[in-house]
Amino acid sequence: MTVRAVIKGVGHYLPERVVPNSEFEAMVDTTDEWIRTRSGIERRHFAAEGETTSQMGALAARAALKDANLEASDIDMVVVATSTPDLTFPSVGTMIQKELGMTSGYAFDVQAVCAGFIYALSNANAQIVSGQAKRVLVIGAETFSRIMDWTDRSTCVLFGDGAGALVLEAEAAAGTSDDRGILSVDLNSDGTYRDMLYVDGGVATTGTAGKLRMQGNALFRQAVSKLASTAQAALVKADVTADKIDWVIPHQANIRIIEGTAKKLGLPMDKVVVTVQDHGNTSAASIPLAMSVGKARGQIKKGDLCVAEAIGGGLAWGAVVLRW
Ligand code: UT7
């Protein structure tokens, strides 16, 4: 008998303020047309003044708990993927734990930038499979609007804020690819790519939060090949072939990266959950947001075979194969 980490609930939160591409035309030398055609983004949400990553993460977590028909007291672990914490410490995880009224269990953050949710899912899966945790909240929450350089047109038009969450629960399973739950994980990183995407400040250097810097075009070329190869590696580990996939749930950075990766996997775009037009790039929040929206749209259904893949700063990249 095998133990699987099975999805019991999903939810998300998006800040109220929606910012269309046209708003950037007054700020930097750009056009709605350039942003749409080069990235696929049409609008994004920005957190209100004073609205934080932990507040958004807690709202997404509450929605996921409701979907799972569970209480916060049923959860024994909270893991939050974020690169934009409220404070340097304590973790966003413990802040969300408090917000949910949990006084037991344990909470922490993982930081793998845009690949963070894949890393957090991998961690949650390992703790469930090893027997250390039974029910886990896996949250991706970001306020990237706080680390934008509003004079840099090559980055400030691309990112957005939001949060998404999953509830995972340990369940006995047969140990085959027909099981529900997480079937495989593939993780990778290579720190030699540091300068391709980083934030130019931090606790031990400038003492400030810093601003995001990105070599977009160089990263674009890395993204398509690395995303396709990590997704393929995860499919092999799960013992399934790409033609069996019902849904690709990609990190939502750029529609052209999403299309290029689907093409390399030999999958049509009608098997891909796409939210980039409405959310922009929400870093570690983008995959759980796409999962929640994909389920709400009626795309992702119980029993569907899904592959989620992401790449971001580090570089760090990875993929998860799961049956919903
Ligand atoms: O989430 C982590 C992973 N992130 C990614 O994977 C992002 C990867 N990169 C991308 O999505 C794309 O590279 C971008 C959307 C960032 C840029 O698209 P691109 O087709 O790679 O454009 P580019 O960087 O090669 O720039 C083309 C031109 C440049 O002008 P010149 O040098 O050709 O005159 C840029 O200065 O577009 C210019 N440009 C803009 N023009 C209007 C850059 N940003 C803008 C802008 N508006 N906002």
Side-chain angles (χ1 to χ4, degrees), residues 28-31 34-35 38-39 113-115 144 152-159 197 214-221 223 227 251-257 281-283 311-313 315:
V28 286
D29 181 14
T30 193
T31 58
W34 189 94
I35 303 168
R38 302 316 292 163
S39 73
V113 202
C114 298
F144 261 50
D152 178 6
R153 68 175 182 174
S154 70
T155 54
C156 72
V157 302
L158 300 174
F159 293 87
L197 177 54
M214 181 168 78
Q215 298 165 9
N217 195 271
L219 179 54
F220 187 100
R221 280 179 271 120
L227 288 170
H251 170 49
Q252 310 280 326
N254 185 315
I255 191 65
R256 293 182 296 134
I257 295 175
N281 182 346
T282 57
S283 187
I311 187 166
L315 295 181

mmCIF file of all heavy atoms in Angstrom, residues 28-31 34-35 38-39 113-115 144 152-159 197 214-221 223 227 251-257 281-283 311-313 315, ligand 1:
data_model
loop_
_atom_site.group_PDB
_atom_site.id
_atom_site.type_symbol
_atom_site.label_atom_id
_atom_site.label_comp_id
_atom_site.label_asym_id
_atom_site.label_seq_id
_atom_site.Cartn_x
_atom_site.Cartn_y
_atom_site.Cartn_z
ATOM 1 N N VAL A 28 5.246 54.602 -18.448
ATOM 2 C CA VAL A 28 6.497 54.260 -19.146
ATOM 3 C C VAL A 28 6.227 54.238 -20.652
ATOM 4 O O VAL A 28 5.063 54.291 -21.071
ATOM 5 C CB VAL A 28 7.055 52.866 -18.694
ATOM 6 C CG1 VAL A 28 7.669 52.922 -17.316
ATOM 7 C CG2 VAL A 28 5.985 51.781 -18.781
ATOM 8 N N ASP A 29 7.291 54.126 -21.446
ATOM 9 C CA ASP A 29 7.152 54.131 -22.904
ATOM 10 C C ASP A 29 6.723 52.734 -23.364
ATOM 11 O O ASP A 29 7.554 51.896 -23.731
ATOM 12 C CB ASP A 29 8.495 54.530 -23.530
ATOM 13 C CG ASP A 29 8.428 54.591 -25.043
ATOM 14 O OD1 ASP A 29 7.302 54.590 -25.591
ATOM 15 O OD2 ASP A 29 9.497 54.629 -25.668
ATOM 16 N N THR A 30 5.412 52.481 -23.294
ATOM 17 C CA THR A 30 4.888 51.174 -23.686
ATOM 18 C C THR A 30 3.497 51.344 -24.268
ATOM 19 O O THR A 30 2.931 52.443 -24.237
ATOM 20 C CB THR A 30 4.860 50.204 -22.483
ATOM 21 O OG1 THR A 30 4.633 48.882 -22.963
ATOM 22 C CG2 THR A 30 3.764 50.555 -21.468
ATOM 23 N N THR A 31 2.971 50.251 -24.805
ATOM 24 C CA THR A 31 1.593 50.270 -25.323
ATOM 25 C C THR A 31 0.886 48.989 -24.892
ATOM 26 O O THR A 31 1.525 47.954 -24.661
ATOM 27 C CB THR A 31 1.581 50.310 -26.874
ATOM 28 O OG1 THR A 31 2.300 49.157 -27.342
ATOM 29 C CG2 THR A 31 2.208 51.584 -27.421
ATOM 30 N N TRP A 34 1.899 46.264 -27.288
ATOM 31 C CA TRP A 34 3.182 45.585 -27.045
ATOM 32 C C TRP A 34 3.000 44.548 -25.912
ATOM 33 O O TRP A 34 3.445 43.408 -26.039
ATOM 34 C CB TRP A 34 4.288 46.587 -26.655
ATOM 35 C CG TRP A 34 5.663 45.928 -26.615
ATOM 36 C CD1 TRP A 34 6.569 45.896 -27.633
ATOM 37 C CD2 TRP A 34 6.243 45.184 -25.537
ATOM 38 N NE1 TRP A 34 7.687 45.171 -27.259
ATOM 39 C CE2 TRP A 34 7.515 44.715 -25.971
ATOM 40 C CE3 TRP A 34 5.830 44.833 -24.257
ATOM 41 C CZ2 TRP A 34 8.359 43.946 -25.177
ATOM 42 C CZ3 TRP A 34 6.675 44.057 -23.447
ATOM 43 C CH2 TRP A 34 7.921 43.629 -23.921
ATOM 44 N N ILE A 35 2.365 44.964 -24.832
ATOM 45 C CA ILE A 35 2.242 44.059 -23.676
ATOM 46 C C ILE A 35 1.434 42.810 -24.055
ATOM 47 O O ILE A 35 1.828 41.687 -23.742
ATOM 48 C CB ILE A 35 1.612 44.780 -22.458
ATOM 49 C CG1 ILE A 35 2.439 46.007 -22.072
ATOM 50 C CG2 ILE A 35 1.474 43.836 -21.268
ATOM 51 C CD1 ILE A 35 1.758 46.950 -21.068
ATOM 52 N N ARG A 38 3.543 40.643 -26.793
ATOM 53 C CA ARG A 38 4.810 40.050 -26.324
ATOM 54 C C ARG A 38 4.617 39.144 -25.109
ATOM 55 O O ARG A 38 5.449 38.284 -24.840
ATOM 56 C CB ARG A 38 5.851 41.124 -25.973
ATOM 57 C CG ARG A 38 6.225 42.087 -27.076
ATOM 58 C CD ARG A 38 6.443 41.436 -28.414
ATOM 59 N NE ARG A 38 7.624 40.585 -28.477
ATOM 60 C CZ ARG A 38 7.838 39.672 -29.429
ATOM 61 N NH1 ARG A 38 6.970 39.505 -30.392
ATOM 62 N NH2 ARG A 38 8.932 38.934 -29.398
ATOM 63 N N SER A 39 3.537 39.367 -24.311
ATOM 64 C CA SER A 39 3.390 38.575 -23.073
ATOM 65 C C SER A 39 2.036 37.875 -22.928
ATOM 66 O O SER A 39 1.905 36.943 -22.143
ATOM 67 C CB SER A 39 3.589 39.480 -21.847
ATOM 68 O OG SER A 39 2.461 40.332 -21.676
ATOM 69 N N VAL A 113 11.145 31.395 -5.703
ATOM 70 C CA VAL A 113 10.621 32.414 -6.617
ATOM 71 C C VAL A 113 9.444 31.834 -7.422
ATOM 72 O O VAL A 113 8.544 31.253 -6.824
ATOM 73 C CB VAL A 113 11.738 33.050 -7.469
ATOM 74 C CG1 VAL A 113 11.311 34.421 -7.988
ATOM 75 C CG2 VAL A 113 13.020 33.227 -6.632
ATOM 76 N N CYS A 114 9.466 31.969 -8.739
ATOM 77 C CA CYS A 114 8.284 31.559 -9.517
ATOM 78 C C CYS A 114 8.071 30.041 -9.493
ATOM 79 O O CYS A 114 6.972 29.568 -9.787
ATOM 80 C CB CYS A 114 8.389 32.044 -10.948
ATOM 81 S SG CYS A 114 8.443 33.844 -11.060
ATOM 82 N N ALA A 115 9.123 29.279 -9.160
ATOM 83 C CA ALA A 115 8.968 27.826 -9.042
ATOM 84 C C ALA A 115 8.543 27.440 -7.622
ATOM 85 O O ALA A 115 8.428 26.253 -7.300
ATOM 86 C CB ALA A 115 10.271 27.123 -9.405
ATOM 87 N N PHE A 144 4.223 41.066 -5.716
ATOM 88 C CA PHE A 144 5.359 41.499 -6.528
ATOM 89 C C PHE A 144 5.282 42.992 -6.874
ATOM 90 O O PHE A 144 6.296 43.589 -7.237
ATOM 91 C CB PHE A 144 5.485 40.635 -7.799
ATOM 92 C CG PHE A 144 6.527 39.549 -7.660
ATOM 93 C CD1 PHE A 144 6.520 38.711 -6.552
ATOM 94 C CD2 PHE A 144 7.515 39.368 -8.609
ATOM 95 C CE1 PHE A 144 7.484 37.715 -6.396
ATOM 96 C CE2 PHE A 144 8.488 38.384 -8.468
ATOM 97 C CZ PHE A 144 8.469 37.556 -7.362
ATOM 98 N N ASP A 152 11.068 50.882 -15.109
ATOM 99 C CA ASP A 152 11.614 49.852 -16.000
ATOM 100 C C ASP A 152 10.481 49.170 -16.766
ATOM 101 O O ASP A 152 9.823 48.261 -16.260
ATOM 102 C CB ASP A 152 12.406 48.825 -15.164
ATOM 103 C CG ASP A 152 12.966 47.692 -16.011
ATOM 104 O OD1 ASP A 152 12.851 47.749 -17.262
ATOM 105 O OD2 ASP A 152 13.497 46.728 -15.415
ATOM 106 N N ARG A 153 10.288 49.602 -18.024
ATOM 107 C CA ARG A 153 9.152 49.086 -18.802
ATOM 108 C C ARG A 153 9.274 47.597 -19.101
ATOM 109 O O ARG A 153 8.288 46.929 -19.393
ATOM 110 C CB ARG A 153 9.017 49.856 -20.114
ATOM 111 C CG ARG A 153 10.169 49.614 -21.087
ATOM 112 C CD ARG A 153 9.922 50.296 -22.406
ATOM 113 N NE ARG A 153 11.020 50.016 -23.340
ATOM 114 C CZ ARG A 153 11.039 50.388 -24.605
ATOM 115 N NH1 ARG A 153 10.029 51.084 -25.087
ATOM 116 N NH2 ARG A 153 12.050 50.086 -25.381
ATOM 117 N N SER A 154 10.530 47.072 -19.039
ATOM 118 C CA SER A 154 10.703 45.663 -19.407
ATOM 119 C C SER A 154 10.269 44.710 -18.292
ATOM 120 O O SER A 154 10.197 43.503 -18.502
ATOM 121 C CB SER A 154 12.155 45.394 -19.812
ATOM 122 O OG SER A 154 12.995 45.464 -18.683
ATOM 123 N N THR A 155 9.996 45.236 -17.100
ATOM 124 C CA THR A 155 9.535 44.360 -16.010
ATOM 125 C C THR A 155 8.206 44.799 -15.380
ATOM 126 O O THR A 155 7.374 43.957 -15.055
ATOM 127 C CB THR A 155 10.586 44.271 -14.876
ATOM 128 O OG1 THR A 155 10.913 45.601 -14.453
ATOM 129 C CG2 THR A 155 11.839 43.541 -15.313
ATOM 130 N N CYS A 156 8.003 46.128 -15.216
ATOM 131 C CA CYS A 156 6.865 46.563 -14.394
ATOM 132 C C CYS A 156 5.507 46.222 -14.992
ATOM 133 O O CYS A 156 4.516 46.147 -14.267
ATOM 134 C CB CYS A 156 6.953 48.048 -14.043
ATOM 135 S SG CYS A 156 6.623 49.169 -15.417
ATOM 136 N N VAL A 157 5.465 45.954 -16.299
ATOM 137 C CA VAL A 157 4.182 45.645 -16.940
ATOM 138 C C VAL A 157 3.819 44.159 -16.824
ATOM 139 O O VAL A 157 2.730 43.760 -17.251
ATOM 140 C CB VAL A 157 4.209 46.032 -18.443
ATOM 141 C CG1 VAL A 157 4.518 47.520 -18.600
ATOM 142 C CG2 VAL A 157 5.223 45.199 -19.218
ATOM 143 N N LEU A 158 4.728 43.344 -16.273
ATOM 144 C CA LEU A 158 4.551 41.894 -16.374
ATOM 145 C C LEU A 158 3.962 41.225 -15.133
ATOM 146 O O LEU A 158 3.421 40.121 -15.226
ATOM 147 C CB LEU A 158 5.906 41.221 -16.664
ATOM 148 C CG LEU A 158 6.604 41.655 -17.963
ATOM 149 C CD1 LEU A 158 7.994 41.010 -18.043
ATOM 150 C CD2 LEU A 158 5.775 41.264 -19.176
ATOM 151 N N PHE A 159 4.113 41.854 -13.964
ATOM 152 C CA PHE A 159 3.807 41.133 -12.725
ATOM 153 C C PHE A 159 2.503 41.590 -12.075
ATOM 154 O O PHE A 159 2.020 42.695 -12.325
ATOM 155 C CB PHE A 159 4.981 41.265 -11.746
ATOM 156 C CG PHE A 159 6.217 40.549 -12.233
ATOM 157 C CD1 PHE A 159 7.127 41.187 -13.075
ATOM 158 C CD2 PHE A 159 6.455 39.221 -11.898
ATOM 159 C CE1 PHE A 159 8.252 40.524 -13.557
ATOM 160 C CE2 PHE A 159 7.571 38.548 -12.372
ATOM 161 C CZ PHE A 159 8.481 39.208 -13.209
ATOM 162 N N LEU A 197 17.577 36.731 -13.295
ATOM 163 C CA LEU A 197 16.374 37.197 -12.595
ATOM 164 C C LEU A 197 16.693 37.260 -11.108
ATOM 165 O O LEU A 197 16.934 36.229 -10.486
ATOM 166 C CB LEU A 197 15.209 36.218 -12.864
ATOM 167 C CG LEU A 197 13.878 36.488 -12.173
ATOM 168 C CD1 LEU A 197 13.362 37.893 -12.424
ATOM 169 C CD2 LEU A 197 12.817 35.476 -12.632
ATOM 170 N N MET A 214 15.551 41.731 -14.457
ATOM 171 C CA MET A 214 15.397 40.524 -15.278
ATOM 172 C C MET A 214 15.971 40.724 -16.670
ATOM 173 O O MET A 214 15.755 41.758 -17.291
ATOM 174 C CB MET A 214 13.900 40.185 -15.398
ATOM 175 C CG MET A 214 13.614 38.942 -16.218
ATOM 176 S SD MET A 214 11.916 38.358 -16.059
ATOM 177 C CE MET A 214 11.078 39.520 -17.137
ATOM 178 N N GLN A 215 16.705 39.691 -17.139
ATOM 179 C CA GLN A 215 17.126 39.637 -18.548
ATOM 180 C C GLN A 215 16.071 38.809 -19.274
ATOM 181 O O GLN A 215 16.208 37.592 -19.439
ATOM 182 C CB GLN A 215 18.503 38.978 -18.662
ATOM 183 C CG GLN A 215 19.615 39.741 -17.944
ATOM 184 C CD GLN A 215 20.880 38.905 -17.757
ATOM 185 O OE1 GLN A 215 21.025 37.806 -18.300
ATOM 186 N NE2 GLN A 215 21.801 39.419 -16.965
ATOM 187 N N GLY A 216 14.971 39.482 -19.637
ATOM 188 C CA GLY A 216 13.769 38.788 -20.111
ATOM 189 C C GLY A 216 14.010 37.861 -21.279
ATOM 190 O O GLY A 216 13.586 36.705 -21.263
ATOM 191 N N ASN A 217 14.717 38.361 -22.295
ATOM 192 C CA ASN A 217 14.882 37.568 -23.508
ATOM 193 C C ASN A 217 15.732 36.318 -23.270
ATOM 194 O O ASN A 217 15.410 35.227 -23.747
ATOM 195 C CB ASN A 217 15.473 38.459 -24.605
ATOM 196 C CG ASN A 217 15.315 37.807 -25.951
ATOM 197 O OD1 ASN A 217 16.185 37.062 -26.369
ATOM 198 N ND2 ASN A 217 14.196 38.057 -26.611
ATOM 199 N N ALA A 218 16.823 36.473 -22.492
ATOM 200 C CA ALA A 218 17.680 35.308 -22.190
ATOM 201 C C ALA A 218 16.894 34.283 -21.357
ATOM 202 O O ALA A 218 16.990 33.068 -21.583
ATOM 203 C CB ALA A 218 18.918 35.768 -21.434
ATOM 204 N N LEU A 219 16.106 34.785 -20.432
ATOM 205 C CA LEU A 219 15.307 33.889 -19.584
ATOM 206 C C LEU A 219 14.243 33.175 -20.415
ATOM 207 O O LEU A 219 13.982 31.976 -20.216
ATOM 208 C CB LEU A 219 14.656 34.699 -18.446
ATOM 209 C CG LEU A 219 13.766 33.927 -17.476
ATOM 210 C CD1 LEU A 219 14.505 32.737 -16.869
ATOM 211 C CD2 LEU A 219 13.293 34.858 -16.351
ATOM 212 N N PHE A 220 13.647 33.905 -21.330
ATOM 213 C CA PHE A 220 12.631 33.318 -22.219
ATOM 214 C C PHE A 220 13.182 32.061 -22.901
ATOM 215 O O PHE A 220 12.533 31.013 -22.927
ATOM 216 C CB PHE A 220 12.234 34.365 -23.272
ATOM 217 C CG PHE A 220 11.089 33.953 -24.146
ATOM 218 C CD1 PHE A 220 9.809 34.410 -23.895
ATOM 219 C CD2 PHE A 220 11.285 33.102 -25.233
ATOM 220 C CE1 PHE A 220 8.737 34.027 -24.695
ATOM 221 C CE2 PHE A 220 10.221 32.718 -26.035
ATOM 222 C CZ PHE A 220 8.951 33.183 -25.772
ATOM 223 N N ARG A 221 14.406 32.184 -23.420
ATOM 224 C CA ARG A 221 14.985 31.042 -24.156
ATOM 225 C C ARG A 221 15.253 29.858 -23.233
ATOM 226 O O ARG A 221 15.050 28.719 -23.603
ATOM 227 C CB ARG A 221 16.247 31.484 -24.908
ATOM 228 C CG ARG A 221 15.859 32.185 -26.213
ATOM 229 C CD ARG A 221 17.043 32.666 -27.009
ATOM 230 N NE ARG A 221 17.430 34.023 -26.626
ATOM 231 C CZ ARG A 221 18.605 34.369 -26.135
ATOM 232 N NH1 ARG A 221 19.549 33.476 -25.958
ATOM 233 N NH2 ARG A 221 18.848 35.626 -25.835
ATOM 234 N N ALA A 223 13.527 29.264 -20.522
ATOM 235 C CA ALA A 223 12.263 28.800 -19.953
ATOM 236 C C ALA A 223 11.637 27.670 -20.764
ATOM 237 O O ALA A 223 11.308 26.614 -20.210
ATOM 238 C CB ALA A 223 11.290 29.979 -19.825
ATOM 239 N N LEU A 227 11.329 24.046 -19.074
ATOM 240 C CA LEU A 227 9.976 23.657 -18.649
ATOM 241 C C LEU A 227 9.538 22.370 -19.332
ATOM 242 O O LEU A 227 8.964 21.484 -18.703
ATOM 243 C CB LEU A 227 8.976 24.787 -18.937
ATOM 244 C CG LEU A 227 9.114 26.003 -18.023
ATOM 245 C CD1 LEU A 227 8.259 27.153 -18.523
ATOM 246 C CD2 LEU A 227 8.741 25.648 -16.581
ATOM 247 N N HIS A 251 3.119 27.675 -14.974
ATOM 248 C CA HIS A 251 3.390 28.994 -14.407
ATOM 249 C C HIS A 251 3.020 30.017 -15.470
ATOM 250 O O HIS A 251 3.339 29.845 -16.653
ATOM 251 C CB HIS A 251 4.866 29.100 -14.033
ATOM 252 C CG HIS A 251 5.280 30.487 -13.661
ATOM 253 N ND1 HIS A 251 4.567 31.248 -12.769
ATOM 254 C CD2 HIS A 251 6.314 31.266 -14.081
ATOM 255 C CE1 HIS A 251 5.154 32.427 -12.650
ATOM 256 N NE2 HIS A 251 6.212 32.459 -13.436
ATOM 257 N N GLN A 252 2.335 31.087 -15.060
ATOM 258 C CA GLN A 252 1.765 32.030 -16.020
ATOM 259 C C GLN A 252 2.673 33.261 -16.139
ATOM 260 O O GLN A 252 2.408 34.310 -15.552
ATOM 261 C CB GLN A 252 0.361 32.445 -15.572
ATOM 262 C CG GLN A 252 -0.545 31.277 -15.215
ATOM 263 C CD GLN A 252 -1.166 30.583 -16.423
ATOM 264 O OE1 GLN A 252 -1.472 31.229 -17.417
ATOM 265 N NE2 GLN A 252 -1.351 29.267 -16.334
ATOM 266 N N ALA A 253 3.778 33.120 -16.872
ATOM 267 C CA ALA A 253 4.697 34.248 -17.051
ATOM 268 C C ALA A 253 4.459 34.942 -18.386
ATOM 269 O O ALA A 253 4.515 36.164 -18.466
ATOM 270 C CB ALA A 253 6.133 33.783 -16.967
ATOM 271 N N ASN A 254 4.206 34.140 -19.429
ATOM 272 C CA ASN A 254 4.145 34.697 -20.783
ATOM 273 C C ASN A 254 3.417 33.679 -21.667
ATOM 274 O O ASN A 254 3.793 32.504 -21.692
ATOM 275 C CB ASN A 254 5.579 34.920 -21.282
ATOM 276 C CG ASN A 254 5.613 35.616 -22.625
ATOM 277 O OD1 ASN A 254 4.865 35.275 -23.541
ATOM 278 N ND2 ASN A 254 6.478 36.598 -22.739
ATOM 279 N N ILE A 255 2.404 34.117 -22.398
ATOM 280 C CA ILE A 255 1.622 33.189 -23.232
ATOM 281 C C ILE A 255 2.510 32.493 -24.259
ATOM 282 O O ILE A 255 2.292 31.324 -24.595
ATOM 283 C CB ILE A 255 0.422 33.903 -23.915
ATOM 284 C CG1 ILE A 255 -0.529 32.895 -24.563
ATOM 285 C CG2 ILE A 255 0.879 34.927 -24.934
ATOM 286 C CD1 ILE A 255 -1.242 31.969 -23.640
ATOM 287 N N ARG A 256 3.571 33.193 -24.722
ATOM 288 C CA ARG A 256 4.438 32.565 -25.733
ATOM 289 C C ARG A 256 5.275 31.443 -25.116
ATOM 290 O O ARG A 256 5.561 30.450 -25.778
ATOM 291 C CB ARG A 256 5.327 33.622 -26.402
ATOM 292 C CG ARG A 256 4.505 34.616 -27.246
ATOM 293 C CD ARG A 256 5.398 35.627 -27.937
ATOM 294 N NE ARG A 256 6.106 36.466 -27.002
ATOM 295 C CZ ARG A 256 7.397 36.777 -27.054
ATOM 296 N NH1 ARG A 256 8.158 36.303 -28.012
ATOM 297 N NH2 ARG A 256 7.949 37.555 -26.151
ATOM 298 N N ILE A 257 5.651 31.579 -23.841
ATOM 299 C CA ILE A 257 6.364 30.483 -23.152
ATOM 300 C C ILE A 257 5.399 29.314 -22.941
ATOM 301 O O ILE A 257 5.744 28.149 -23.150
ATOM 302 C CB ILE A 257 6.930 30.965 -21.793
ATOM 303 C CG1 ILE A 257 8.009 32.028 -22.005
ATOM 304 C CG2 ILE A 257 7.474 29.779 -20.980
ATOM 305 C CD1 ILE A 257 8.540 32.650 -20.717
ATOM 306 N N ASN A 281 2.006 37.860 -14.264
ATOM 307 C CA ASN A 281 2.878 36.889 -13.599
ATOM 308 C C ASN A 281 2.801 37.124 -12.095
ATOM 309 O O ASN A 281 3.297 38.142 -11.601
ATOM 310 C CB ASN A 281 4.308 37.078 -14.121
ATOM 311 C CG ASN A 281 5.288 36.070 -13.533
ATOM 312 O OD1 ASN A 281 4.975 35.391 -12.559
ATOM 313 N ND2 ASN A 281 6.459 35.989 -14.127
ATOM 314 N N THR A 282 2.177 36.195 -11.377
ATOM 315 C CA THR A 282 2.059 36.326 -9.911
ATOM 316 C C THR A 282 3.055 35.413 -9.198
ATOM 317 O O THR A 282 2.835 35.026 -8.045
ATOM 318 C CB THR A 282 0.625 36.024 -9.429
ATOM 319 O OG1 THR A 282 0.275 34.701 -9.861
ATOM 320 C CG2 THR A 282 -0.385 37.024 -9.974
ATOM 321 N N SER A 283 4.148 35.066 -9.879
ATOM 322 C CA SER A 283 5.234 34.284 -9.289
ATOM 323 C C SER A 283 4.689 33.006 -8.628
ATOM 324 O O SER A 283 3.977 32.255 -9.281
ATOM 325 C CB SER A 283 6.029 35.174 -8.323
ATOM 326 O OG SER A 283 7.164 34.504 -7.852
ATOM 327 N N ILE A 311 9.208 27.887 -13.764
ATOM 328 C CA ILE A 311 10.623 28.283 -13.691
ATOM 329 C C ILE A 311 10.699 29.718 -13.191
ATOM 330 O O ILE A 311 9.812 30.521 -13.455
ATOM 331 C CB ILE A 311 11.318 28.151 -15.063
ATOM 332 C CG1 ILE A 311 12.840 28.411 -14.939
ATOM 333 C CG2 ILE A 311 10.695 29.069 -16.117
ATOM 334 C CD1 ILE A 311 13.658 27.983 -16.150
ATOM 335 N N GLY A 312 11.754 30.006 -12.444
ATOM 336 C CA GLY A 312 11.923 31.378 -11.970
ATOM 337 C C GLY A 312 13.329 31.595 -11.442
ATOM 338 O O GLY A 312 14.242 30.784 -11.672
ATOM 339 N N GLY A 313 13.497 32.694 -10.729
ATOM 340 C CA GLY A 313 14.798 33.125 -10.236
ATOM 341 C C GLY A 313 15.579 32.000 -9.577
ATOM 342 O O GLY A 313 15.029 31.144 -8.901
ATOM 343 N N LEU A 315 18.539 30.159 -11.347
ATOM 344 C CA LEU A 315 17.229 29.662 -11.760
ATOM 345 C C LEU A 315 16.813 28.437 -10.946
ATOM 346 O O LEU A 315 17.661 27.611 -10.582
ATOM 347 C CB LEU A 315 17.238 29.297 -13.250
ATOM 348 C CG LEU A 315 17.457 30.467 -14.233
ATOM 349 C CD1 LEU A 315 17.420 29.983 -15.673
ATOM 350 C CD2 LEU A 315 16.430 31.588 -14.031
HETATM 351 O O1 UT7 B 1 8.390 34.206 -13.899
HETATM 352 C C1 UT7 B 1 9.750 33.957 -14.106
HETATM 353 C C2 UT7 B 1 9.971 33.635 -15.473
HETATM 354 N N1 UT7 B 1 9.840 34.830 -16.272
HETATM 355 C C3 UT7 B 1 9.921 34.699 -17.527
HETATM 356 O O2 UT7 B 1 10.066 33.591 -17.973
HETATM 357 C C4 UT7 B 1 9.882 35.915 -18.404
HETATM 358 C C5 UT7 B 1 10.628 35.612 -19.660
HETATM 359 N N2 UT7 B 1 10.700 36.654 -20.621
HETATM 360 C C6 UT7 B 1 9.621 37.179 -21.286
HETATM 361 O O3 UT7 B 1 8.481 36.882 -20.993
HETATM 362 C C7 UT7 B 1 9.908 38.082 -22.444
HETATM 363 O O4 UT7 B 1 11.280 38.028 -22.741
HETATM 364 C C8 UT7 B 1 9.487 39.562 -22.204
HETATM 365 C C9 UT7 B 1 7.987 39.701 -22.260
HETATM 366 C C10 UT7 B 1 10.043 40.021 -20.886
HETATM 367 C C11 UT7 B 1 10.071 40.451 -23.316
HETATM 368 O O5 UT7 B 1 9.693 39.960 -24.597
HETATM 369 P P1 UT7 B 1 10.813 39.788 -25.728
HETATM 370 O O6 UT7 B 1 10.111 39.405 -26.954
HETATM 371 O O7 UT7 B 1 11.842 38.830 -25.204
HETATM 372 O O8 UT7 B 1 11.378 41.235 -25.897
HETATM 373 P P2 UT7 B 1 12.866 41.769 -25.702
HETATM 374 O O9 UT7 B 1 13.252 41.726 -24.259
HETATM 375 O O10 UT7 B 1 13.765 41.085 -26.676
HETATM 376 O O11 UT7 B 1 12.675 43.269 -26.138
HETATM 377 C C12 UT7 B 1 12.271 43.620 -27.461
HETATM 378 C C13 UT7 B 1 12.117 45.119 -27.540
HETATM 379 C C14 UT7 B 1 13.318 45.871 -26.961
HETATM 380 O O12 UT7 B 1 13.544 47.009 -27.768
HETATM 381 P P3 UT7 B 1 14.753 47.018 -28.834
HETATM 382 O O13 UT7 B 1 15.989 46.794 -28.015
HETATM 383 O O14 UT7 B 1 14.459 45.904 -29.779
HETATM 384 O O15 UT7 B 1 14.624 48.362 -29.428
HETATM 385 C C15 UT7 B 1 12.834 46.319 -25.618
HETATM 386 O O16 UT7 B 1 13.466 47.485 -25.164
HETATM 387 O O17 UT7 B 1 10.985 45.527 -26.772
HETATM 388 C C16 UT7 B 1 11.383 46.579 -25.897
HETATM 389 N N3 UT7 B 1 10.517 46.545 -24.714
HETATM 390 C C17 UT7 B 1 9.334 47.166 -24.655
HETATM 391 N N4 UT7 B 1 8.674 47.908 -25.556
HETATM 392 C C18 UT7 B 1 7.470 48.397 -25.206
HETATM 393 C C19 UT7 B 1 10.745 45.924 -23.540
HETATM 394 N N5 UT7 B 1 9.711 46.136 -22.710
HETATM 395 C C20 UT7 B 1 8.828 46.901 -23.396
HETATM 396 C C21 UT7 B 1 7.561 47.436 -23.058
HETATM 397 N N6 UT7 B 1 6.938 48.171 -24.009
HETATM 398 N N7 UT7 B 1 6.959 47.228 -21.872
#
